[in-house]
Amino acid sequence: MARYTNHVEGVVYKKQLGTYFVRSADGDVVCSISSRLRKELIYPIADRSSIGHHRVQKVDDIHMIDPVAIGDCVQFVVAEDGAGLITEVLPRRNKLARSAAGVKQLEQIIAANVDQLVTVFAAALPAPHWNLLDRYLVTAEEAEIPALIVMTKLDLVKPGTFDAVMDEYRALGYQAILTSTESGQGIDALRAALNGKTSVLIGKSGVGKTSLLNAVQPGLGLRVGEVSKALKKGKHTTTHVEMIGLNEGGYIVDTPGMREFSTWNIDDGDLALFFREMQPYVGSCRFGLDCTHRTEPGCAILKAVGAGHITKRRYESYVRMLD
């Protein structure tokens, strides 16, 4: 039977199926989860997931609802052979989460204790989808995590193609950086925005997240996948989640490309609160907080859309999320 040392605290900086890499003041340790923690945090979720005909029972499902996230501060013990065992997940400052793909009733925690969400979209190949960006931003607003908008591959489009859209988001208070790894445009600005912060990069496969990382810090050796021009969909090149240290200070959490992203734990009645331009109007409608802001008479948000204070495109994103 393995003998363990006293508890040590550290940060999870990388994880694969069932394996966690934890960094502490004494060095890095490869850990697993204790049976007690697994029963307390994983199996109760699995038991509650018998929704419809679905029941969590496969290894992939357990990974999907893994309660230990990148960036988590944990307590662990170390055996005589050097193997670690995580016994406690400490309280989080924040967490970035989405509804698990395929099982919307389950939470998938992407990262914890982060300073900003960096949403990455390509100017082309694949084309940007603004509704997906709005989902990212709503998730960041709900988690109270600052968001940074980054567009890549600007060399593939005419200058100024997306200036108007980016100006819309800048007017809402979001920072937007236009980049090209080919020309070097925006790389210095992005490097400065990442300096000293723990940032999560999120975006669909093929948008160029890993190319951006190589440009920000040459020599990381991250694999960069080719984009399938025929399908205009990226190939998955990131097979695990990892927190990567930057030479100038700070960390980046690179995530696998996500083809879909659904918000987690946001009630329909609260959704407008996480659209910055809609928030001031919430509660001012004729039907107060019961207004869905669709067709109700006396809706303050609909009136603001008509007056141009809320863009039609952002309002349509709101309606799509409700649907």
Side-chain angles (χ1 to χ4, degrees), residues 118-124 148-157 162-163 166 170 175-194 201 207-209 211-213 215-216:
V118 181
T119 65
V120 183
F121 285 79
L148 168 65
I149 301 169
V150 176
M151 287 207 72
T152 63
K153 305 183 185 182
L154 263 293
D155 52 284
L156 298 181
V157 297
F162 295 107
D163 286 355
M166 291 299 100
R170 291 187 180 110
Q175 182 182 4
I177 301 176
L178 307 183
T179 71
S180 167
T181 57
E182 293 294 322
S183 68
Q185 175 186 352
I187 299 302
D188 287 342
L190 177 58
R191 188 180 294 115
L194 299 174
L201 265 70
V207 297
K209 293 188 280 101
S211 296
L212 268 184
L213 291 180
V216 166

Side-chain angles (χ1 to χ4, degrees), residues 102-151:
V103 191
K104 303 301 184 185
Q105 298 88 349
L106 297 180
E107 178 186 31
Q108 180 183 17
I109 303 173
I110 299 169
N113 303 315
V114 300
D115 297 315
Q116 65 180 351
L117 175 64
V118 181
T119 65
V120 183
F121 285 79
L125 297 177
H129 294 279
W130 305 122
N131 177 255
L132 180 59
L133 172 56
D134 291 332
R135 288 176 183 271
Y136 291 158
L137 296 179
V138 163
T139 298
E141 292 290 330
E142 190 277 333
E144 298 184 354
I145 298 173
L148 168 65
I149 301 169
V150 176
M151 287 207 72

Side-chain angles (χ1 to χ4, degrees), residues 40-315:
E40 287 182 1
L41 299 180
I42 293 182
Y43 291 128
I45 299 175
D47 291 342
R48 291 198 304 271
S49 69
S50 300
I51 301 170
H53 299 292
H54 180 84
R55 181 179 293 276
V56 173
Q57 55 188 359
K58 304 192 297 294
V59 172
D60 287 346
D61 290 333
I62 293 298
H63 175 60
M64 179 176 59
I65 59 174
D66 189 343
V68 179
I70 291 294
D72 265 335
C73 296
V74 298
Q75 285 188 343
F76 65 99
V77 292
V78 183
E80 292 176 338
D81 62 1
L85 189 69
I86 295 174
T87 59
E88 198 73 40
V89 176
L90 301 178
R92 297 176 174 123
R93 173 164 54 94
N94 58 41
K95 66 177 179 178
L96 183 68
R98 69 166 182 167
S99 294
V103 191
K104 303 301 184 185
Q105 298 88 349
L106 297 180
E107 178 186 31
Q108 180 183 17
I109 303 173
I110 299 169
N113 303 315
V114 300
D115 297 315
Q116 65 180 351
L117 175 64
V118 181
T119 65
V120 183
F121 285 79
L125 297 177
H129 294 279
W130 305 122
N131 177 255
L132 180 59
L133 172 56
D134 291 332
R135 288 176 183 271
Y136 291 158
L137 296 179
V138 163
T139 298
E141 292 290 330
E142 190 277 333
E144 298 184 354
I145 298 173
L148 168 65
I149 301 169
V150 176
M151 287 207 72
T152 63
K153 305 183 185 182
L154 263 293
D155 52 284
L156 298 181
V157 297
K158 294 180 179 179
T161 300
F162 295 107
D163 286 355
V165 178
M166 291 299 100
D167 285 345
E168 285 182 17
Y169 287 105
R170 291 187 180 110
L172 297 174
Y174 293 108
Q175 182 182 4
I177 301 176
L178 307 183
T179 71
S180 167
T181 57
E182 293 294 322
S183 68
Q185 175 186 352
I187 299 302
D188 287 342
L190 177 58
R191 188 180 294 115
L194 299 174
N195 187 22
K197 298 178 180 178
T198 297
S199 306
V200 178
L201 265 70
I202 193 169
K204 294 175 65 175
S205 295
V207 297
K209 293 188 280 101
T210 46
S211 296
L212 268 184
L213 291 180
N214 283 331
V216 166
Q217 184 169 303
L220 281 178
L222 299 176
R223 292 175 297 158
V224 180
E226 294 183 355
V227 175
S228 170
K229 295 182 179 180
L231 296 176
K232 293 186 179 180
K233 291 182 179 180
K235 300 175 181 178
H236 290 278
T237 60
T238 308
T239 57
H240 63 267
V241 185
E242 183 173 359
M243 182 184 293
I244 304 163
L246 297 174
N247 291 339
E248 297 183 7
Y251 296 91
I252 285 180
V253 178
D254 188 24
T255 63
M258 299 178 184
R259 296 194 190 282
E260 60 178 279
F261 188 94
S262 297
T263 57
W264 170 255
N265 202 31
I266 297 178
D267 293 333
D268 289 353
D270 295 335
L271 181 59
L273 291 171
F274 305 117
F275 280 76
R276 289 185 176 182
E277 67 274 47
M278 296 183 188
Q279 186 178 33
Y281 300 98
V282 173
S284 300
C285 304
R286 180 184 299 177
F287 297 110
L289 297 176
D290 293 328
C291 187
T292 66
H293 318 300
R294 287 176 178 269
T295 58
E296 294 92 339
C299 173
I301 286 179
L302 285 173
K303 183 177 179 181
V305 173
H309 302 311
I310 297 172
T311 67
K312 183 178 179 181
R313 185 189 57 75
R314 283 273 287 179
Y315 174 73

